[in-house]
Amino acid sequence: VENSTIQNFDDAVVVKPCNENSYWGPCAQDILVRNMQVTYGVGMSIGSVTPGLDVSCIKNVTFENVRFQYPLKAVYIKTNPGDEGSALIDGITFRDFTVEGALWYPIWIGPQQQTTGPGESPCSFFYPLAGASCPTNPLVTISNILLENVVCTGGVLLPGVLLGNASNPIYNMTFRNVQNSGRFLVSPDYSCEGVVGQVLDSYPDPGCFSPL
């Protein structure tokens, strides 16, 4: 997918998972999205990905040379609740992004904010405000994630949300030259937990990466 202009209020481009029962193969993989101009939108997105016995899978996806103006989200990886089986999100790259005036979160990697049925525990639309919860899912593995040359300016709420599971953290995430500035009325810091990886030449530092 390349050389396109998008204006919407949902995922701008989204890669959905395949699984072991999918007609097209067991994994959505080897996908390139580049040279995109987006107004509003809710991300260059992965997912949402729900664990299951048929193993939902997305891997080897690159988004590059993307400009967002006034998005709700820009860099977006989202998981879903589920209590059996497993799922994989692996080898996802976001490179050469310009994000201007994000209205919500310029970067979100973690559970999808949603409203679901009775008895389920979704991630609140109000997270990370006080009292709001966003439970992570240990059955969805997120690994080998690269953000490189991502420049966000004019953000409103906070730099972003990075939520890995305590028993199955996001593994080998790299921030390389990720610059994130704005008014940040909620917090000047990321909401960040459960990440193993490295931060290089980036500001602000997410503050929760454990070393590899």
Side-chain angles (χ1 to χ4, degrees), residues 3-4 20 44 82 137 187:
N3 305 325
S4 299
E20 293 172 355
M44 293 288 150
N137 194 325
S187 173

Side-chain angles (χ1 to χ4, degrees), residues 18-43:
C18 291
N19 59 51
E20 293 172 355
N21 295 315
S22 297
Y23 175 81
W24 299 107
C27 193
Q29 65 184 81
D30 305 328
I31 295 167
L32 174 62
V33 181
R34 64 184 177 184
N35 305 333
M36 310 295 288
Q37 169 74 46
V38 183
T39 303
Y40 309 118
V42 192

Side-chain angles (χ1 to χ4, degrees), residues 62-66 93-97 146-150:
T62 296
F63 301 97
E64 67 180 13
N65 192 23
V66 178
T93 295
F94 301 88
R95 178 184 292 117
D96 298 333
F97 271 52
L146 171 63
L147 277 67
E148 183 174 41
N149 303 331
V150 175

Side-chain angles (χ1 to χ4, degrees), residues 31-195:
I31 295 167
L32 174 62
V33 181
R34 64 184 177 184
N35 305 333
M36 310 295 288
Q37 169 74 46
V38 183
T39 303
Y40 309 118
V42 192
M44 293 288 150
S45 302
I46 297 292
S48 56
V49 177
T50 304
L53 299 178
D54 51 5
V55 190
S56 296
C57 175
I58 301 174
K59 66 181 180 181
N60 300 336
V61 178
T62 296
F63 301 97
E64 67 180 13
N65 192 23
V66 178
R67 182 186 182 195
F68 275 96
Q69 293 179 293
Y70 312 113
L72 298 178
K73 294 171 181 169
V75 171
Y76 193 14
I77 296 176
K78 45 186 170 174
T79 64
N80 258 347
D83 57 10
E84 63 178 1
S86 62
L88 176 65
I89 300 169
D90 180 72
I92 312 300
T93 295
F94 301 88
R95 178 184 292 117
D96 298 333
F97 271 52
T98 300
V99 182
E100 302 167 6
L103 302 174
W104 207 356
Y105 308 111
I107 299 170
W108 180 289
I109 298 174
Q112 177 176 214
Q113 291 174 292
Q114 62 181 327
T115 300
T116 56
E120 296 187 5
S121 299
C123 179
S124 170
F125 281 109
F126 296 102
Y127 185 86
L129 300 179
S133 66
C134 189
T136 56
N137 194 325
L139 301 181
V140 182
T141 293
I142 304 174
S143 54
N144 301 312
I145 309 300
L146 171 63
L147 277 67
E148 183 174 41
N149 303 331
V150 175
V151 178
C152 308
T153 58
V156 175
L157 297 182
L158 72 165
V161 173
L162 310 169
L163 288 182
N165 184 265
S167 64
N168 187 17
I170 300 170
Y171 184 76
N172 194 25
M173 178 183 285
T174 298
F175 270 37
R176 180 180 291 120
N177 188 30
V178 178
Q179 310 299 327
N180 205 330
S181 62
R183 290 176 287 170
F184 298 146
L185 302 177
V186 172
S187 173
D189 301 315
Y190 288 87
S191 177
C192 183
E193 60 185 59
V195 181

